[in-house]
Amino acid sequence: VAATVGFSATLAAQAQSSLKQQVFAAESSFAASMAERDLAAFAAHVSSEAIFFGDTAVMRGKAAVLNGWRPFFNKKEAPFSWKPDVIEVLPSGKLAISNGPVFDTEGKRVGSFSSIWRREPDGNWQVIFDKGCR
C-alpha cells in the first residue's frame, strides 16, 4: 500500500510539473508575441472571456483586450516586456497563475504582472485575467 501511495504521489508531482511547464511555455510565447510585434500571436493566447485590467479601465472580452492592446503593437519596438518567474497550477489542472517582472525598453524592472490561465478543452492554455502593476 505504501508503495502505491508513493507511486501515486510521484505521478501527481510529475503531472503538476508538466502543467507548470505548459503554462510557463504559454506565458513565454505570449510575451514573445509582444517582442516580435505579432498581434495575431498575442490574440491566440487571449480567451474570448478575458478580462484585462488597464491603468484606468477594465477591458472585458477578447475584442476589447485587442483594441486596448493594439497601440502597444504600433511601434517598431515593444514599449515593454515581461517574463514569468512563478507559476502555480491548481490540482485540478484547469487554472493557473503566472507572475513575473515587467521591464522597460532598457531592461529596467518597472513593475510586475499576474495572469490567470485556463486550460481549454483542447488542452491549450489561454489568459482569462491579466493585471500589471508598477
Side-chain angles (χ1 to χ4, degrees), residues 52-114:
F52 278 45
F53 297 87
D55 287 339
T56 60
V58 176
M59 295 159 270
R60 297 178 185 276
K62 187 172 190 168
V65 169
L66 296 180
N67 284 335
W69 277 66
R70 184 171 274 106
F72 297 133
F73 287 84
N74 287 343
K75 294 183 179 177
K76 186 176 179 179
E77 288 192 35
F80 57 88
S81 62
W82 70 93
K83 67 178 184 177
D85 64 2
V86 176
I87 306 286
E88 289 296 334
V89 181
L90 290 179
S92 67
K94 295 179 181 179
L95 291 175
I97 187 168
S98 60
N99 300 95
V102 176
F103 304 97
D104 67 12
T105 56
E106 281 83 43
K108 178 184 172 193
R109 184 176 180 160
V110 293
S112 60
F113 76 91
S114 291

Side-chain angles (χ1 to χ4, degrees), residues 47 49 93-94 118-126:
S47 167
E49 297 180 294
K94 295 179 181 179
R118 179 175 63 199
R119 189 164 53 130
E120 301 299 330
D122 65 3
N124 287 319
W125 290 90
Q126 290 196 314

Side-chain angles (χ1 to χ4, degrees), residues 16-27:
Q16 254 330 79
S17 177
S18 174
L19 290 171
K20 284 183 178 184
Q21 290 172 356
Q22 290 174 24
V23 175
F24 183 87
E27 183 70 66

